[in-house]
Amino acid sequence: MTRSTDQPHAVLPEWDVSTWLNTPVPISVTSLRGRVVLLHTFQMLCPGCVAYGLPQAERVHRTFPASELAVVGLHTVFEHHTVMTIDALRAFIHEYRWSFPIGVDAPDGLGGPSRTMARYGLSGTPSCLVLDRQGRIRLNHFGQPDDLVLGALLGRLIANPDAPRQVDAAGTPRSELAPQGDAVVCDPAGCRMQAGGRQGSTRTSP
Amino acid sequence: MTRSTDQPHAVLPEWDVSTWLNTPVPISVTSLRGRVVLLHTFQMLCPGCVAYGLPQAERVHRTFPASELAVVGLHTVFEHHTVMTIDALRAFIHEYRWSFPIGVDAPDGLGGPSRTMARYGLSGTPSCLVLDRQGRIRLNHFGQPDDLVLGALLGRLIANPDAPRQVDAAGTPRSELAPQGDAVVCDPAGCRMQAGGRQGSTRTSP
Amino acid sequence: MTRSTDQPHAVLPEWDVSTWLNTPVPISVTSLRGRVVLLHTFQMLCPGCVAYGLPQAERVHRTFPASELAVVGLHTVFEHHTVMTIDALRAFIHEYRWSFPIGVDAPDGLGGPSRTMARYGLSGTPSCLVLDRQGRIRLNHFGQPDDLVLGALLGRLIANPDAPRQVDAAGTPRSELAPQGDAVVCDPAGCRMQAGGRQGSTRTSP
Amino acid sequence: MTRSTDQPHAVLPEWDVSTWLNTPVPISVTSLRGRVVLLHTFQMLCPGCVAYGLPQAERVHRTFPASELAVVGLHTVFEHHTVMTIDALRAFIHEYRWSFPIGVDAPDGLGGPSRTMARYGLSGTPSCLVLDRQGRIRLNHFGQPDDLVLGALLGRLIANPDAPRQVDAAGTPRSELAPQGDAVVCDPAGCRMQAGGRQGSTRTSP
């Protein structure tokens, strides 16, 4: 189970989204302060995202009240840039009926991982990040966390509306990814860049 | 999602267990005060218990720290009394490797539902009850609750170690079951007594 | 179970494929005569194809010897033409590791269902067609047939190497689809054109 | 895939059943000659039987016409003899709604594996045996065969109504099991006697 401690947690920096879908207005990380956040990063051609990650994000979106928890998707492309376009993503969302807001992570213009993915130091897709009401990172998981474990973490964070409001502005994760699209490996769990130093397991912020 | 309110919750009365398995010492409801409790009631010949309920109880047992949450099984026989004996249950536990404590609910001696099952007014198996740290009933679900929903409830209750300690001693559920073993119907969700007034959906204590 | 009869079966007409992937040489219906054929028609953005149909085709491809049975995929686009391009399909095949030959059904140039899809009168995706060694249609199923039922049909057809060689050249299915891309409905079973008269169940050629 | 050859196959000897359930009259191996037979051997407290083997036998029973294929269950007890009684089995069949004929394999009277289990040299439960129309063993599989593979075999055997009628009366499998109930190991695949020499994979009769 994911445990809480009294140690400081890094606050998630802003994302850099070029286009928003499934929402009438753009969403910022800051605007979600006060609610628990599930950030699901994915690619539409990532088998593990389609089979497990996105359905879990949708389940969370439908299970928890919007006043307590926000689910946000982020399309973080790091391969096959020419075919995973905004139009393709729009068709994908239509066919699969994803109902939560989804942002298109801004491309780096060089064919590497998209900007926010690099900024957050994510090693592949799907990645599941959970923020508490202060915007602090409480889970950073490559692959799909277990429903029971994820539910427990979300329930715990929702139950703490009066947790201290001071946030830890330091500790922003550094990019650990070189922009090299070739070395991508997909397996049932997800798609990863081999150059990424983080090997796909949960990192719960202490 | 299961929501909390400020309304009083009934405290679960003591169970009446004739034999304990998987534990060196008997367990009382009172002895668990201070921890969140998942009580899983089942019959070894109930298909829904074997396929869904018991595996979920085992997952919860393995996921949460014992210092925060206790999982207890209760073998509540209301049909086929002559074959669902303690020896048969012991073989069943051995084969399926259930690792949490399991109590044998005391038979009523008349061939009807076992005593605690009647005392708690349970309509069939599996039933999943969740108690908060004060022993109050926060979930009473016939069938298997969703992992995400159950996880959220458990996480929320674990996160509230300082909730008010005063307990509501009233409101004990009355028996609603007549001791008539004939009218039992099993489907994939579970086994129910048809005379039981409660029709198998979740009752979250308000 | 799918039953055989002595009635004549229509021989599947040739498909009209613009590009082949996963095969060094183009494949014609005629070239497969003498082997049992599983033809799986799909779209890369059809949820039912990705979750059920394509994995089943892959299982069949890996289970049966190539000398007895050929699995062929056909990308039959009838919606979202601008994003389901050959390059997108190539990336999709790469990520999901589909290993059987896949043909791109020739577009009609008008934005309607692709040519072979119209020629065969298919109402949506996925569709599963099974041909016997004489190229006759023995199963035409919208959605995913049960593994046990499909296995039994394939086993039966493989076991009949000496079935009569005369083929029924008549009975070619007529198109039943108007080229109107708007009225597409996807559900877990697959994606259908609403104007299509055939409502998604198995049609076993008698 | 299971392949056929021209080599002789052993004919399954008669079973030794003490009680039949789900059938008005006793069934002999000989009486099934002319039909394909799926024999599913199980124990009611074997997790792999309950989760996978018995549901597959039920699916086969419901899928194929009775005129072509017979499904027979055989309760082959080799552990926990005192609780896996006929009354317990009857309750088990009632609760799970198994609808095919089930025979109780005659106990050896010494607490070891039941008689037919020993006669057939089966190493554990579940075991799946398939007989062709001449009563010859075409599959002897410990655990659950894949639906696609099993379906293909059954379809192939059903399709060969005119296969040679002469049977190979020799080659009866010898018992390979010592009657020692202690060394039983259950895992998700099934329950095995450790002294049994055959290690749990498919043995397709050549």
Side-chain angles (χ1 to χ4, degrees):
Chain A
M1 189 205 170
T2 304
R3 289 177 189 78
S4 76
T5 76
D6 295 329
Q7 290 181 254
H9 300 275
V11 168
L12 188 74
E14 276 298 337
W15 40 58
D16 187 353
V17 166
S18 59
T19 305
W20 282 98
L21 303 171
N22 279 352
T23 171
V25 293
I27 298 170
S28 67
V29 175
T30 310
S31 70
L32 300 172
R33 215 53 56 86
R35 299 156 71 194
V36 175
V37 176
L38 176 75
L39 174 63
H40 177 72
T41 75
F42 71 100
Q43 289 184 112
M44 59 174 284
L45 287 181
C46 155
C49 303
V50 173
Y52 305 109
L54 284 159
Q56 184 183 58
E58 184 71 28
R59 280 199 302 280
V60 171
H61 181 60
R62 294 179 188 276
T63 299
F64 291 84
S67 58
E68 300 293 332
L69 182 141
V71 173
V72 174
L74 192 62
H75 195 226
T76 54
V77 178
F78 59 95
E79 54 175 342
H80 307 300
H81 295 76
T82 58
V83 299
M84 286 196 270
T85 61
I86 292 177
D87 282 345
L89 178 63
R90 195 172 275 122
F92 172 74
I93 291 171
H94 174 78
E95 294 303 327
Y96 281 82
R97 304 182 185 182
W98 310 123
S99 65
F100 50 90
I102 292 177
V104 178
D105 193 17
D108 74 345
L110 303 168
S114 52
R115 287 191 184 173
T116 309
M117 186 180 183
R119 181 178 297 168
Y120 291 176
L122 304 175
S123 60
T125 54
S127 286
C128 173
L129 284 83
V130 172
L131 312 184
D132 62 20
R133 295 178 189 269
Q134 288 77 43
R136 298 174 302 193
I137 304 167
R138 306 302 282 257
L139 181 75
N140 184 348
H141 184 95
F142 173 76
Q144 184 203 18
D146 180 82
D147 264 20
L148 198 58
V149 172
L150 180 61
L153 174 62
L154 298 177
R156 184 164 65 81
L157 295 178
I158 288 172
N160 276 326
D162 302 320
R165 290 284 172 182
Q166 72 280 14
V167 292
D168 171 24
T172 301
R174 300 178 315 280
S175 167
E176 297 178 17
L177 298 178
Q180 49 206 41
D182 282 358
V184 172
V185 176
C186 290
D187 61 22
C191 297
R192 251 174 290 197
M193 284 170 290
Q194 289 190 305
R198 297 173 175 173
Q199 266 96 20
S201 54
T202 303
R203 287 171 296 135
T204 306
S205 297
Chain B
M1 189 204 170
T2 306
R3 289 177 187 78
S4 75
T5 76
D6 295 329
Q7 290 180 255
H9 301 275
V11 168
L12 188 76
E14 276 298 337
W15 41 57
D16 188 353
V17 165
S18 59
T19 306
W20 283 98
L21 303 171
N22 279 352
T23 171
V25 293
I27 298 171
S28 67
V29 175
T30 309
S31 71
L32 299 173
R33 215 53 57 85
R35 298 156 71 193
V36 174
V37 176
L38 176 76
L39 175 63
H40 177 73
T41 74
F42 71 100
Q43 288 183 115
M44 59 174 283
L45 287 182
C46 155
C49 303
V50 173
Y52 305 109
L54 284 159
Q56 184 181 59
E58 184 72 30
R59 281 198 303 278
V60 171
H61 181 60
R62 294 180 188 277
T63 298
F64 291 84
S67 58
E68 302 291 334
L69 183 142
V71 174
V72 174
L74 192 63
H75 195 226
T76 54
V77 178
F78 59 96
E79 54 176 342
H80 308 300
H81 295 75
T82 57
V83 299
M84 287 197 269
T85 61
I86 293 177
D87 282 345
L89 177 63
R90 195 172 275 124
F92 173 73
I93 291 171
H94 174 78
E95 294 303 328
Y96 281 82
R97 303 181 186 183
W98 311 122
S99 65
F100 50 90
I102 292 176
V104 178
D105 194 17
D108 75 344
L110 303 169
S114 52
R115 288 191 183 171
T116 309
M117 186 180 183
R119 181 179 299 168
Y120 293 176
L122 304 176
S123 59
T125 54
S127 286
C128 173
L129 284 85
V130 172
L131 312 183
D132 62 20
R133 294 178 188 270
Q134 287 76 44
R136 299 175 300 194
I137 304 167
R138 306 302 281 256
L139 181 76
N140 185 348
H141 183 96
F142 174 76
Q144 183 203 19
D146 179 81
D147 264 19
L148 198 57
V149 172
L150 180 61
L153 175 62
L154 298 177
R156 183 164 66 81
L157 295 177
I158 288 173
N160 276 327
D162 302 320
R165 292 285 173 181
Q166 72 280 14
V167 293
D168 171 27
T172 301
R174 300 177 315 281
S175 167
E176 298 177 15
L177 300 176
Q180 49 207 40
D182 281 357
V184 172
V185 175
C186 291
D187 60 23
C191 296
R192 251 175 290 199
M193 283 172 289
Q194 288 191 306
R198 296 175 176 172
Q199 266 97 19
S201 53
T202 303
R203 287 172 296 135
T204 305
S205 296
Chain C
M1 187 202 173
T2 305
R3 288 178 188 77
S4 76
T5 76
D6 295 328
Q7 291 180 253
H9 300 275
V11 167
L12 188 75
E14 276 297 339
W15 41 58
D16 188 353
V17 166
S18 59
T19 305
W20 282 98
L21 301 171
N22 279 352
T23 171
V25 293
I27 298 170
S28 67
V29 175
T30 311
S31 70
L32 299 173
R33 216 52 57 86
R35 298 155 72 192
V36 175
V37 177
L38 175 76
L39 175 62
H40 176 72
T41 75
F42 71 100
Q43 289 183 113
M44 59 174 284
L45 288 182
C46 154
C49 303
V50 173
Y52 305 111
L54 284 159
Q56 184 182 58
E58 184 72 29
R59 280 198 303 278
V60 171
H61 181 61
R62 295 179 188 275
T63 298
F64 292 84
S67 58
E68 301 292 334
L69 183 141
V71 173
V72 174
L74 192 61
H75 195 227
T76 54
V77 178
F78 59 95
E79 53 175 344
H80 307 301
H81 295 76
T82 57
V83 299
M84 287 198 269
T85 61
I86 293 177
D87 282 346
L89 177 63
R90 195 172 276 123
F92 173 73
I93 292 171
H94 174 77
E95 294 303 327
Y96 280 82
R97 304 182 186 182
W98 310 123
S99 65
F100 49 90
I102 292 177
V104 177
D105 193 17
D108 75 344
L110 303 168
S114 51
R115 289 191 183 172
T116 309
M117 186 179 183
R119 182 178 297 168
Y120 293 176
L122 303 176
S123 60
T125 54
S127 287
C128 173
L129 283 85
V130 172
L131 312 183
D132 62 20
R133 294 178 188 271
Q134 288 77 43
R136 299 175 301 194
I137 303 167
R138 306 303 281 259
L139 181 75
N140 184 348
H141 183 94
F142 173 76
Q144 184 203 20
D146 180 80
D147 265 19
L148 199 57
V149 172
L150 180 61
L153 174 63
L154 298 177
R156 183 165 66 81
L157 295 178
I158 288 173
N160 276 328
D162 302 320
R165 292 285 172 180
Q166 71 280 13
V167 293
D168 170 25
T172 300
R174 301 179 313 283
S175 167
E176 298 178 16
L177 298 177
Q180 50 207 40
D182 281 358
V184 173
V185 176
C186 290
D187 61 21
C191 296
R192 253 174 288 199
M193 283 172 289
Q194 289 191 306
R198 295 174 176 173
Q199 267 97 20
S201 54
T202 303
R203 287 172 295 135
T204 305
S205 297
Chain D
M1 188 204 170
T2 305
R3 290 177 186 78
S4 75
T5 76
D6 295 329
Q7 290 180 255
H9 300 273
V11 168
L12 188 75
E14 275 298 339
W15 42 57
D16 188 354
V17 165
S18 60
T19 305
W20 282 99
L21 303 170
N22 279 351
T23 170
V25 293
I27 298 170
S28 66
V29 175
T30 310
S31 70
L32 299 173
R33 216 52 58 86
R35 297 156 71 193
V36 175
V37 177
L38 176 75
L39 175 62
H40 177 73
T41 75
F42 71 99
Q43 288 183 115
M44 60 174 282
L45 287 182
C46 155
C49 304
V50 173
Y52 305 110
L54 284 159
Q56 184 182 58
E58 185 72 29
R59 281 198 303 279
V60 171
H61 181 61
R62 295 179 188 276
T63 298
F64 292 85
S67 58
E68 301 292 333
L69 183 139
V71 173
V72 174
L74 192 62
H75 195 226
T76 55
V77 178
F78 60 95
E79 54 176 342
H80 307 300
H81 294 76
T82 56
V83 298
M84 287 196 269
T85 62
I86 293 177
D87 283 345
L89 178 63
R90 196 172 274 122
F92 172 73
I93 291 171
H94 174 77
E95 293 303 327
Y96 281 82
R97 304 182 185 181
W98 310 123
S99 65
F100 50 90
I102 292 176
V104 177
D105 194 18
D108 74 345
L110 302 169
S114 52
R115 288 191 183 173
T116 309
M117 185 180 183
R119 181 179 298 168
Y120 293 176
L122 303 176
S123 59
T125 55
S127 287
C128 174
L129 284 84
V130 172
L131 312 183
D132 63 20
R133 294 178 189 271
Q134 287 78 43
R136 298 175 301 194
I137 304 167
R138 305 303 280 258
L139 181 76
N140 184 348
H141 184 95
F142 173 76
Q144 184 203 18
D146 179 81
D147 265 19
L148 198 58
V149 171
L150 180 61
L153 174 62
L154 299 176
R156 183 164 66 81
L157 295 177
I158 288 173
N160 276 327
D162 302 321
R165 292 284 173 182
Q166 73 280 11
V167 293
D168 170 27
T172 300
R174 301 177 314 281
S175 167
E176 298 178 17
L177 299 178
Q180 50 206 42
D182 281 357
V184 173
V185 176
C186 291
D187 61 22
C191 296
R192 253 175 287 200
M193 283 170 290
Q194 288 191 307
R198 296 173 175 172
Q199 267 97 18
S201 54
T202 305
R203 287 170 297 134
T204 306
S205 296

